[in-house]
Amino acid sequence: MDKPRVFVTRKVDEAAIALLETVADVEVWPDYKAPSKGALLSNTKDVDGILANTEDRIDEDVLAVSNGRLKVVANMAVGFDNLDVNTATGLGIAMSNTPGVLTKTTAELGFALMMAVSRKIVAGDRDVRDGKWQNWHPSAYLGVDLAGSTLSVIGMGKIGFEFAKRAKAFEMRVLYHNRSPRKDIGEGFEYCGKLETALEQADFLCITTPLTKETHHFIGKAQLSLMKPASILINIARGAVVDNIALFEALKEGRIAGAGLDVTEPEPIPADHPLLTLANVVITPHIGSASQRTRRDMAVLAAQNIKARLSGEPMPSCVNPEAMTRKTQREKEEEYALEVLREEEDEEEV
Ligand code: DGY
């Protein structure tokens, strides 16, 4: 049998590549930019594994191009809205994400955004650089204190909880909205079964819910209209969880006071997008998990998932374990070939 082959869609930490090389021949896409759909298809037609990124759309076409050889797709991200998990499961292709390793890093970036918007850090820096800082004035650049303010976290998963803990340390009151209350997070975090309550009470709203069919544009015009005029929205989940046009209108009309976005729809956000005309918005280029240690850990975890699958061992963070109960087309063909061989041998013996 051929040595397994793995395609890595972007240059990642050497430790991850070295791990993959213990079980497979590895090819790494050399460009900074993601491979186009055509390049993704031509580079994955004879691979057993793909190490992908959030920008790579792993759809039916990519899943089918190897004619049943592909066994595993490891996403180097905790979110996996770029993967067609249903189709993969049907084809016996395991998929994985990278939970845990990026939780604190992403919460920290969210917090940095919250502080940047609430204290006008980016707008102030721009003025200083542009020579527009005239003098100290009692009413210049006035922001909002975190201490004593109310934070509502939408989606109290791992990242939401890390964000909430930091907010507690900053003496904020913390509410959260989830499908159900979390019993494992201790005291001091108030559950709002109704999204509306979390929106109405928030001075700061932090969105950390994954993007699914149900959460697409979860925060739109109606939801924004419930927020306080002085409130600030932070999105560190996925751009499409918020309707960005509704957000632009709410900000422009002063129905909310500011926004800090690490994610947008689309990404990259076009330079002429209306949100970029607003001074009360800070946008970072999807860098929630972008610390050196975390990006290495994410790459290594993705590689561990691929290695495990190719070695027939349990994967550390598989998102569709049902896939393991199905055989890939290639496995079925190999089994069939083996069966035919056995029958032929049996016949010869007779
Ligand atoms: C994730 O892990 O989902 C991040 O958004 C990628 O940095």
Side-chain angles (χ1 to χ4, degrees):
M1 228 178 14
D2 293 352
K3 191 167 182 198
R5 299 193 64 235
V6 172
F7 180 61
V8 181
T9 65
R10 227 77 91 254
K11 198 167 177 297
V12 294
D13 195 281
E14 268 309 310
I17 303 297
L19 192 64
L20 290 173
E21 282 174 343
T22 61
V23 288
D25 288 330
V26 180
E27 198 175 325
V28 180
W29 179 250
D31 297 350
Y32 186 84
K33 284 194 82 128
S36 64
K37 172 91 183 253
L40 194 54
L41 288 173
S42 59
N43 280 279
T44 53
K45 64 180 185 304
D46 54 0
V47 300
D48 304 80
I50 303 175
L51 196 159
N53 274 273
T54 48
E55 273 189 333
D56 307 314
R57 201 133 285 287
I58 307 296
D59 59 12
E60 283 184 346
D61 300 337
V62 178
L63 294 172
V65 73
S66 74
N67 278 324
R69 178 167 175 159
L70 185 65
K71 287 176 93 168
V72 56
V73 178
N75 215 30
M76 195 179 132
V78 68
F80 50 91
D81 45 284
N82 57 315
L83 309 180
D84 181 346
V85 180
N86 274 344
T87 302
T89 305
L91 295 170
I93 300 169
M95 296 187 137
S96 62
N97 65 344
T98 57
V101 291
L102 48 75
T103 310
K104 293 186 181 185
T105 308
T106 307
E108 283 176 8
L109 190 274
F111 223 81
L113 277 174
M114 182 161 73
M115 298 190 84
V117 181
S118 66
R119 297 302 299 274
K120 304 184 191 296
I121 290 173
V122 176
D125 177 78
R126 257 194 310 257
D127 281 0
V128 172
R129 288 167 197 269
D130 295 347
K132 291 185 184 157
W133 178 32
Q134 293 174 4
N135 53 298
W136 189 94
H137 191 280
S139 60
Y141 304 105
L142 300 188
V144 187
D145 292 313
L146 299 189
S149 293
T150 296
L151 165 73
S152 290
V153 175
I154 306 300
M156 191 72 135
K158 286 191 168 73
I159 296 172
F161 183 45
E162 285 301 325
F163 193 96
K165 282 198 296 189
R166 282 156 181 73
K168 270 276 166 238
F170 273 70
E171 300 177 24
M172 300 178 84
R173 174 182 176 218
V174 180
L175 313 179
Y176 71 99
H177 171 73
N178 246 13
R179 266 186 300 225
S180 50
R182 280 190 58 173
K183 304 224 160 56
D184 56 332
I185 57 176
E187 301 285 297
F189 306 97
E190 300 167 46
Y191 177 63
C192 296
K194 282 193 174 160
L195 173 65
E196 291 75 11
T197 314
L199 295 169
E200 281 161 4
Q201 299 210 16
D203 298 307
F204 294 89
L205 187 79
C206 181
I207 298 161
T208 52
T209 189
L211 175 63
T212 61
K213 276 197 200 100
E214 292 73 36
T215 61
H216 184 265
H217 289 190
F218 193 56
I219 304 296
K221 189 174 176 179
Q223 291 69 33
L224 290 163
S225 72
L226 297 175
M227 294 176 65
K228 299 178 191 175
S231 63
I232 289 172
L233 176 148
I234 307 298
N235 187 4
I236 51 173
R238 286 289 181 268
V241 176
V242 177
D243 176 345
N244 279 332
I245 296 304
L247 176 64
F248 166 73
E249 281 159 6
L251 287 161
K252 189 147 190 272
E253 291 161 15
R255 285 186 277 113
I256 70 168
L261 311 173
D262 184 46
V263 285
T264 56
E265 184 192 27
E267 288 183 8
I269 187 165
D272 60 354
H273 194 284
L275 276 172
L276 298 178
T277 62
L278 303 175
N280 50 351
V281 177
V282 174
I283 304 186
T284 47
H286 200 150
I287 52 170
S289 63
S291 76
Q292 285 177 8
R293 184 180 59 194
T294 294
R295 285 289 163 84
R296 185 198 58 221
D297 292 351
M298 290 164 74
V300 168
L301 179 53
Q304 285 168 341
N305 274 291
I306 293 178
K307 182 177 176 190
R309 173 67 167 147
L310 297 183
S311 317
E313 283 159 17
M315 293 167 63
S317 49
C318 182
V319 298
N320 62 342
E322 320 86 86
M324 307 304 184
T325 60
R326 304 184 191 210
K327 298 212 159 40
T328 64
Q329 188 57 29
R330 184 63 59 101
E331 284 168 334
K332 284 184 205 157
E333 282 164 15
E334 280 167 2
E335 264 186 19
Y336 178 70
L338 212 62
E339 220 172 278
V340 171
L341 197 69
R342 274 201 212 107
E343 274 170 19
E344 282 172 2
E345 281 170 358
D346 286 350
E347 274 167 23
E348 272 168 27
E349 274 171 27
V350 174

